[in-house]
Amino acid sequence: MEPAARLSLLKPSPIRILSEGAPPTAIPLGLGEPTWDMPEAARRALMASSGPCPYGPNFGLPELRDAVARFHGATRDEVLITCGSEGALFSLFLAFLNPGDDILVPDPYFPAYTSLAHLAGAEALTYPLDAGDRFRLKAGPVLAALEAHPHVKAVLVNAPSNPTGGATTAAHLKAIAQACEAKGVMLISDEVYLDLHYGTRPPSLRDVSKYGLVITSVSKGWGAAGLRVGWILGDPAWLGPARTVHGYAVTGAAHPAQRAALALLEDSERIFVAARHEIRVRWEALAAALKTHLGQDITPPDGAFYHWMELPETAVADPMAFCLRLRDEGGVVLVPGATFGEQGKRFARLSFAASPAQITEGVRRMAPFWKA
Ligand SMILES: Cc1ncc(COP(=O)(O)O)c(C=O)c1O
């Protein structure tokens, strides 16, 4: 039987293809997930679970919604708990994008943005991140894209970015929020990496405007990707339709996972300090290995745990073939930058969420491919 027509533009994620097809001895620098231990607070909450294991309300556990609201300086009715920020994106795209609608997303982008737009029958148009300034988000290109495409339904921003780690400033974010509000365009700010930074914390949309929606999860900064708990924060009028989609898709995030997420939120500051130490140690291992094996000097990204690395000239014609050779002959998994859009064609994404020892060994294995 043929799959539904809505799947015609959807391909399996190259990130998953490269990672799941890797030989068991390959060093995993492909997936973007924390490899340090899940914080103790969540572990204890999971162990303490007893009695029935109920569905819970579609909007999420009231205690968790309150904790999320406190974290962001909001109120309970502004919070919808989802299965990760992926569940948040899915619900918002399906709830608000009609076939034929356009949504603006950054280039480079997290691949789910374009795939979920296609699933909704919509088109993802891109605005460029600033390649001349470490792919930081600037208001100018977003405003220009809004002028060029006046019927755009929504704008998505993601800073710090997957795949580049580039963030933004409060002034740029505010200008984007004001433009979206003036045009009545939905603004979605994907902030899953906000608390994983190397210097000062980048701005949240919530710091500069009450307009728009923030989505995030416990997957990155709180080090618990497998819990699959995230949320949407913003105007209750926008949460209602998203809740309907999310409820029919999955009912809600798992009850024990929501309890664990609550414990994480209550211990946020301590957890973030420890997580920032973990990524700093990994970044230092990466910087030292790149210096030793390739003579490269790097500076930390604004946030997240990705190194956006220029490909060797010989790899640019077919980056996927290069990454497959790197994986199968070199024993290290990297993701071709083209997976993340036009501006990624000359790059590969190296996730340094792996352990420091894996990073050191991975770069040693990669080096001959860059020198060849
Ligand atoms: C930018 C960005 N948004 C959303 C997600 C989805 O993460 P989760 O569903 O675990 O919150 C990811 C995962 O890598 C991501 O990088």
Side-chain angles (χ1 to χ4, degrees):
M1 193 200 273
E2 285 296 306
R6 75 177 69 85
L7 271 149
S8 62
L9 288 171
L10 253 64
K11 298 188 208 75
S13 153
I15 305 175
R16 289 280 166 179
I17 292 173
L18 277 158
S19 297
E20 286 165 14
T25 52
I27 304 276
L29 305 182
L31 282 185
E33 60 182 355
T35 56
W36 52 95
D37 286 349
M38 181 170 72
E40 191 53 34
R43 198 169 307 284
R44 266 190 270 113
L46 287 172
M47 304 280 277
S49 184
S50 65
C53 189
Y55 290 122
N58 279 155
F59 261 102
L61 286 185
E63 309 88 292
L64 178 57
R65 294 174 71 201
D66 285 343
V68 169
R70 273 196 304 279
F71 181 80
H72 292 280
T75 54
R76 184 195 289 182
D77 63 338
E78 293 177 283
V79 178
L80 169 64
I81 304 297
T82 55
C83 290
S85 30
E86 196 79 35
L89 290 165
F90 175 88
S91 307
L92 287 171
F93 281 36
L94 271 285
F96 289 100
L97 296 179
N98 280 312
D101 280 347
D102 293 329
I103 176 168
L104 282 176
V105 305
D107 174 16
Y109 51 77
F110 174 52
Y113 304 153
T114 47
S115 299
L116 290 174
H118 289 148
L119 193 63
E123 189 63 44
L125 306 174
T126 58
Y127 61 85
L129 297 178
D130 187 352
D133 185 21
R134 306 195 72 190
F135 293 92
R136 293 188 168 109
L137 169 68
K138 301 284 168 67
V142 180
L143 271 46
L146 277 171
E147 285 299 319
H149 306 285
H151 301 300
V152 152
K153 194 91 176 273
V155 170
L156 195 143
V157 294
N158 169 222
S161 143
N162 176 4
T164 69
T168 190
T169 64
H172 283 287
L173 204 49
K174 190 167 183 177
I176 294 168
Q178 283 172 340
C180 287
E181 186 168 11
K183 291 176 188 296
V185 168
M186 176 180 277
L187 174 60
I188 305 169
S189 182
D190 179 344
E191 302 184 357
V192 287
Y193 297 105
L194 199 75
D195 295 292
L196 290 181
H197 52 80
Y198 300 80
T200 48
R201 175 181 165 281
S204 162
L205 174 61
R206 201 75 192 180
D207 299 333
V208 299
S209 175
K210 286 273 187 288
Y211 186 77
L213 299 163
V214 169
I215 63 168
T216 187
S217 72
V218 297
S219 297
K220 316 289 183 179
W222 283 275
L227 282 183
R228 310 307 305 127
V229 177
W231 54 87
I232 310 174
L233 179 93
D235 188 337
W238 282 348
L239 299 187
R243 167 262 177 123
T244 303
V245 173
H246 194 262
Y248 279 117
V250 291
T251 306
H255 190 272
Q258 291 192 62
R259 293 237 152 262
L262 173 59
L264 289 173
L265 269 136
E266 284 169 348
D267 206 13
S268 295
E269 279 321 307
R270 200 143 50 111
I271 289 169
F272 291 156
V273 169
R276 286 195 282 268
H277 173 73
E278 296 288 353
I279 58 167
R280 168 63 70 173
V281 165
R282 285 161 172 76
W283 182 81
E284 281 167 4
L286 176 69
L290 285 173
K291 182 76 183 162
T292 303
H293 297 292
L294 285 169
Q296 293 182 359
D297 287 305
I298 60 168
T299 43
D302 296 325
F305 35 58
Y306 301 114
H307 178 50
W308 193 230
M309 186 166 181
E310 269 191 63
L311 286 168
E313 202 50 47
T314 49
V316 172
D318 192 347
M320 188 64 179
F322 175 78
C323 285
L324 282 169
R325 251 188 345 108
L326 190 60
R327 183 190 78 176
D328 298 334
E329 295 169 27
V332 54
V333 180
L334 256 67
V335 181
T339 305
F340 307 91
E342 270 300 302
Q343 289 212 91
K345 284 189 165 159
R346 306 187 74 81
F347 294 85
R349 189 193 75 176
L350 183 158
S351 167
F352 56 90
S355 73
Q358 286 177 314
I359 293 164
T360 306
E361 173 60 9
V363 174
R364 191 191 67 75
R365 292 185 190 183
M366 279 161 52
F369 290 78
W370 258 258
K371 288 178 185 157

